[in-house]
Amino acid sequence: MTEPLHIVGGGMAGSEAAWQAANAGIPVILHEMRPKVETFAHRTGDLAEMVCSNSFRSDDDEQNAVGLLHWEMRAANGLIMQTADRHRLPAGGALAVDRDPFAADVTAQLKAHPNVTVSYEEIAELPETGHWIFATGPLTSPSLAEAIAAVTGTGALAFFDAIAPIVYAESIDMSKAWLQSRYDKGETEEERTAYINCPMTKEQHEAFIDALLASDKAEFHEGETAGYFDGCLPIEVMAERGRETLRHGPMKPVGLTNPHDPENKPYAVVQLRRDNKLGTLYNIVGFQTKMKYGAQTNVFRMIPGLEEARFARLGGIHRNTFLNSPTLLDGEMRLKARPNIRFAGQITGVEGYVESAAMGLLAGRLAVAEIMGGHVPAVPQTTAMGALVTHITGGAEAKTFQPMNVNFGLFPPLEGMRGGRRGRKDRYKGYTDRAKADWQGWLDAQEAVIA
């Protein structure tokens, strides 16, 4: 008899992983602690409960990376996408669902599957034997979090996001900004030019502080507390402590010379640090924030050089347990310290329902191949799936690793395509055409292995 696959966590990732494995003929035991063990965010004991938005975001598979991920999941017979399509609500170009019927439908399908057993209990240890996928999400129980930390090291598991906004490099105006590390530190030219610097005059700084203080802020949810964040205060809190606080913190102008205006020292400087190995994404250093998304866009575009910035993600601070995956997971999402265990979903450092479900789908298929004694090639980084899994398992900078949504900045550039805003439509179509062909090729290879 085939050895079972144990999946811990019945959210988007765990539900999708269970579906993929069960459909391949693998017996699955899906362990879900709810409703016996509650969380502050969930209301029911249903699998795949949507605790925040009811939207899976854009469904455009030609011009949007999230829509492309939808397409790839549908091509792989994904449970979450199939069920979402059945419970779709009008939402323009987005895929929004009627959340309660959606979760009830996912639960019913998994419970009806002959290869799936749903077991309602808390798993509080990392087993040393057997095949396991842990997809416990941002609300991993304290006892399991302690077990993960004991195996991986206490510094490898974060319990809160302190996320700085991430900007597409191509949208930064380099006629105003420049590349330089403070005091030109570094042994190589790459290290000496590791930061993008955006200078401010005193007047620009004062206007920026005014806008920051007046901006709309999000409130902490029940179960969260601002007391956790003394080591990474939101920039608006720093500004409230004094108008010069940021200028002596993340916006200090020391050790930098503006080559566009070398005779005048900037009053303040906003720095952006490379966020991925491709150099297509940069995060705004020290700019974690509780500003609402619309306010962030308006305020950050006041920074010289970022007037037309496009954001791969905006900033935030909230409860979210996640691994430092680039240091802990191998390319097949296995825990290096205990390879019988895979991690999937939001705990790996992806952000969003779609991304979580996608990593569950991938973990399920990789586990199936391993259980059946086969081996599949690496998922092409040219696909949305591959771009995400490459990012979390090594493409991101481990020292600054934070949860990430799928976006075209994670994809290898296309040769011969026009850059910048004007070439974006053709470039994005090129990304999605390439991804669809490569993803179908990978699916065919994976299915041949398990046939």
Side-chain angles (χ1 to χ4, degrees):
M1 181 177 176
T2 303
E3 191 174 352
L5 173 63
H6 295 268
I7 299 173
V8 183
M12 297 292 175
S15 296
E16 187 65 70
W19 182 256
Q20 295 293 323
N23 282 343
I26 302 296
V28 173
I29 302 174
L30 179 57
H31 305 268
E32 172 52 55
M33 69 180 186
R34 294 179 296 111
K36 290 183 179 180
V37 180
E38 297 181 344
T39 75
F40 72 82
H42 290 89
R43 299 181 297 108
T44 75
D46 282 343
L47 305 174
E49 179 183 338
M50 304 178 82
V51 298
C52 297
S53 167
N54 71 325
S55 175
F56 289 102
R57 304 176 358 253
S58 175
D59 204 33
D60 181 351
D61 62 38
E62 293 190 347
Q63 292 289 313
N64 189 285
V66 178
L68 173 62
L69 201 51
H70 291 181
W71 186 96
E72 292 181 8
M73 293 169 70
R74 290 184 177 113
N77 187 33
L79 171 66
I80 298 302
M81 283 296 109
Q82 288 178 6
T83 310
D85 287 337
R86 278 198 297 275
H87 298 281
R88 187 170 194 151
L89 298 174
L95 174 58
V97 304
D98 191 348
R99 69 173 75 219
D100 290 340
F102 165 82
D105 194 350
V106 170
T107 304
Q109 289 180 81
L110 285 170
K111 285 187 170 182
H113 200 295
N115 292 333
V116 177
T117 300
V118 181
S119 178
Y120 291 98
E121 87 278 70
E122 181 181 4
I123 301 296
E125 299 292 337
L126 293 184
E128 296 186 16
T129 60
H131 298 281
W132 292 78
I133 295 174
F134 279 77
T136 49
L139 301 179
T140 296
S141 70
S143 54
L144 180 56
E146 289 178 10
I148 295 171
V151 172
T152 61
T154 55
L157 191 67
F159 296 98
F160 283 84
D161 286 349
I163 301 169
I166 295 174
V167 179
Y168 288 103
E170 65 176 21
S171 70
I172 300 171
D173 184 353
M174 296 304 292
S175 70
K176 297 179 180 178
W178 75 95
L179 289 163
Q180 184 188 5
S181 297
R182 291 191 196 281
Y183 303 106
D184 299 306
K185 287 183 178 178
E187 296 182 1
T188 66
E189 182 64 15
E190 185 178 42
E191 291 171 341
R192 290 189 290 271
T193 57
Y195 292 81
I196 293 176
N197 301 280
C198 299
M200 283 186 177
T201 64
K202 183 174 182 178
E203 291 73 20
Q204 289 168 332
H205 172 266
E206 293 302 306
F208 179 78
I209 297 298
D210 288 339
L212 196 59
L213 294 173
S215 64
D216 289 335
K217 281 70 167 192
E219 298 298 324
F220 284 92
H221 297 293
E222 183 181 353
E224 297 179 330
T225 172
Y228 285 95
F229 309 133
D230 286 344
C232 52
L233 289 172
I235 55 170
E236 59 272 14
V237 173
M238 286 191 274
E240 289 168 358
R241 294 185 174 185
R243 297 182 67 87
E244 293 289 292
T245 303
L246 285 169
R247 208 170 70 85
H248 292 280
M251 292 173 63
K252 58 182 178 289
V254 299
L256 299 165
T257 301
N258 182 358
H260 305 302
D261 189 10
E263 300 302 319
N264 293 307
K265 182 178 177 63
Y267 188 76
V269 173
V270 174
Q271 287 198 306
L272 295 90
R273 177 175 51 222
R274 193 173 71 174
D275 203 73
N276 65 343
K277 292 181 180 178
L278 293 173
T280 53
L281 302 172
Y282 277 75
N283 70 73
I284 309 180
V285 178
F287 268 45
Q288 56 272 359
T289 179
K290 286 291 285 184
M291 280 191 290
K292 292 182 178 179
Y293 283 175
Q296 287 187 48
T297 300
N298 293 335
V299 173
F300 295 146
R301 284 181 176 157
M302 295 176 68
I303 299 169
L306 302 187
E307 291 91 346
E308 296 189 17
R310 291 185 294 110
F311 296 91
R313 72 160 302 153
L314 290 163
I317 300 177
H318 57 89
R319 173 76 161 84
N320 186 7
T321 304
F322 65 96
L323 298 168
N324 192 318
S325 292
T327 63
L328 298 176
L329 303 184
D330 69 13
E332 291 201 5
M333 305 167 73
R334 293 173 296 211
L335 187 62
K336 294 175 185 177
R338 203 164 285 184
N340 66 306
I341 293 171
R342 281 181 168 82
F343 281 88
Q346 203 161 340
I347 196 170
T348 64
V350 297
E351 184 84 0
Y353 295 139
V354 179
E355 290 86 344
S356 296
M359 293 300 94
L361 185 154
L362 194 55
R365 284 181 169 252
L366 292 171
V368 166
E370 187 171 62
I371 291 169
M372 299 183 95
H375 176 73
V376 292
V379 185
Q381 191 181 353
T382 51
T383 66
M385 291 274 186
L388 265 180
V389 76
T390 299
H391 181 76
I392 64 174
T393 60
E397 296 292 341
K399 290 182 180 179
T400 59
F401 183 65
Q402 292 288 347
M404 174 65 77
N405 295 108
V406 69
N407 64 83
F408 286 128
L410 302 179
F411 289 56
L414 282 160
E415 296 294 330
M417 296 295 290
R418 184 178 183 180
R421 182 181 295 271
R422 292 183 179 179
R424 191 192 314 167
K425 185 175 181 179
D426 290 341
R427 190 168 65 253
Y428 288 178
K429 182 65 162 57
Y431 283 141
T432 55
D433 286 348
R434 179 180 66 176
K436 291 173 183 177
D438 290 353
W439 176 242
Q440 191 59 59
W442 186 85
L443 284 178
D444 292 344
Q446 191 262 347
E447 290 170 3
V449 166
I450 66 174

